[in-house]
Amino acid sequence: MAYDTVEKCTAPSEGNGDWNILYWILGTICMPVAVPLVLINLWRRSLVAKQRKCLPGKVVLITGASSGLGEALAHVFYKAGCKVILAARRLNELERVKKDLMALEVVGTAYPPTVMSLDLAELNAIPKFANDAIAIHNGIDILINNGGISVRAEAISTALDVDLKVMTVNYFGTVALTKAVLPSMVKKQTGHICFISSVQGKIALPYRSAYSASKHALQAFSDSLRAEVASKRLKVTCFSPGYIKTQLSVNALTASGQKHGKMDKATSKGMSAEECAASILKSLLGNEKDVIISDLQAKVGFWLRFICPPLYFWIMEKRALSTVKEE
């Protein structure tokens, strides 16, 4: 009788078997993966914190700083104690941004921003602009190539002049400025070049042919440049944001070169410029080289393009048809 009692108490229940399997999975599969990821995350955080302490006093040149993401970037770097140089075509808007920055309460030393006029379409004027910018603080530590324009048009109806303008501003203007700044960075053996590309520079969407092409080109240039300047102790990061709630789609060009004049539905639901700027700063401090800043949908689309191209192409065809119906 006593033996029966002991037998009943020690016999494993059905539920214990399930828990044993779960513990086995956690111990043999999850833990070996989770522990390194946690350690890497802690290392990255410590690196970001260390690099953040080095930011005060750094000279940061930001193009397209008169609004949107460029303006948000001006805020995060100014508050980090950097000497920001704001560049764009609209000087009155740059002065507004400068005024807003100087009204901020900053912990530590704050440096008055510098405002400079820059038209990325005027390629011949860019070398002089770069020399003038470098002369302000005797160098540039971080160049953020943010300036650019977008397009909302069908490829077949887009005037060639529009393609040329978008490629000139988004690609050639950015490349010209980068090349003009690089020699001073090479001489000092320090510097960080940042390109603000787009998810559409990785996966092209319908009715964005000119824009996507320019961002594709920028992505390729940054990848080549990164390898070339690594031995010179220079850093290159390419950021590819998803939809950001800015005026980019409003100011986008149409097939004829006129202003689009309205905000896209997807853009209106995008992340805030402030959120994107904060992510860019964090990734820059972490010395990341190629960064996608977007929601899950865009990241899935990016990987789908490479893992299952036929499905991706089918989805884009359906998207093109739905866009026509909406219009």
Side-chain angles (χ1 to χ4, degrees), residues 92-324:
N92 59 327
E93 286 299 309
L94 287 177
E95 291 292 349
R96 175 189 60 78
V97 175
K98 177 180 178 179
K99 184 178 178 180
D100 290 345
L101 292 180
M102 296 186 71
L104 295 173
E105 292 185 9
V106 178
V107 177
T109 305
Y111 300 92
T114 302
V115 167
M116 296 185 70
S117 176
L118 170 66
D119 187 347
L120 289 169
E122 298 295 331
L123 300 181
N124 293 330
I126 289 177
K128 183 181 183 305
F129 166 86
N131 289 334
D132 292 343
I134 292 168
I136 295 171
H137 298 292
N138 195 32
I140 293 171
D141 297 302
I142 302 172
L143 170 60
I144 302 182
N145 290 299
N146 171 71
I149 53 177
S150 189
V151 176
R152 300 292 186 272
E154 189 178 15
I156 194 172
S157 60
T158 301
L160 186 58
D161 286 346
V162 173
D163 290 285
L164 288 171
K165 183 173 183 178
V166 174
M167 188 61 75
T168 299
V169 173
N170 291 2
Y171 178 70
F172 288 112
T174 295
V175 168
L177 179 57
T178 299
K179 288 187 174 184
V181 170
L182 268 175
S184 64
M185 289 185 171
V186 171
K187 185 177 180 180
K188 294 172 66 176
Q189 290 284 289
T190 182
H192 201 145
I193 305 288
C194 299
F195 298 95
I196 307 300
S197 181
S198 168
V199 167
Q200 294 175 35
K202 291 182 174 293
I203 51 171
L205 301 181
Y207 306 101
R208 306 287 191 277
S209 58
Y211 180 72
S212 290
S214 68
K215 295 299 185 179
H216 270 306
L218 201 60
Q219 177 78 54
F221 180 82
S222 68
D223 288 349
S224 293
L225 180 66
R226 184 183 302 109
E228 292 174 15
V229 301
S231 62
K232 299 175 178 62
R233 301 177 65 184
L234 304 187
K235 302 173 184 177
V236 176
T237 304
C238 186
F239 297 96
S240 298
Y243 289 110
I244 308 172
K245 192 176 180 180
T246 67
Q247 295 296 302
L248 183 67
S249 63
V250 176
N251 296 323
L253 302 179
T254 61
S256 62
Q258 300 299 311
K259 184 182 287 190
H260 183 58
K262 59 182 180 180
M263 184 174 288
D264 298 335
K265 184 178 180 181
T267 302
S268 65
K269 295 180 179 179
M271 75 185 92
S272 68
E274 292 74 20
E275 178 186 355
C276 186
S279 295
I280 287 173
L281 177 60
K282 182 179 178 181
S283 298
L284 183 147
L285 293 175
N287 194 26
E288 296 185 45
K289 295 174 174 58
D290 190 33
V291 186
I292 296 178
I293 304 173
S294 68
D295 58 14
L296 181 61
Q297 183 179 10
K299 291 179 180 178
V300 169
F302 168 72
W303 287 109
L304 189 63
R305 171 66 177 81
F306 294 97
I307 296 172
C308 187
L311 178 57
Y312 170 81
F313 296 141
W314 179 81
I315 291 173
M316 289 300 106
E317 290 170 7
K318 296 300 179 183
R319 178 176 179 134
L321 290 174
S322 64
T323 302
V324 172

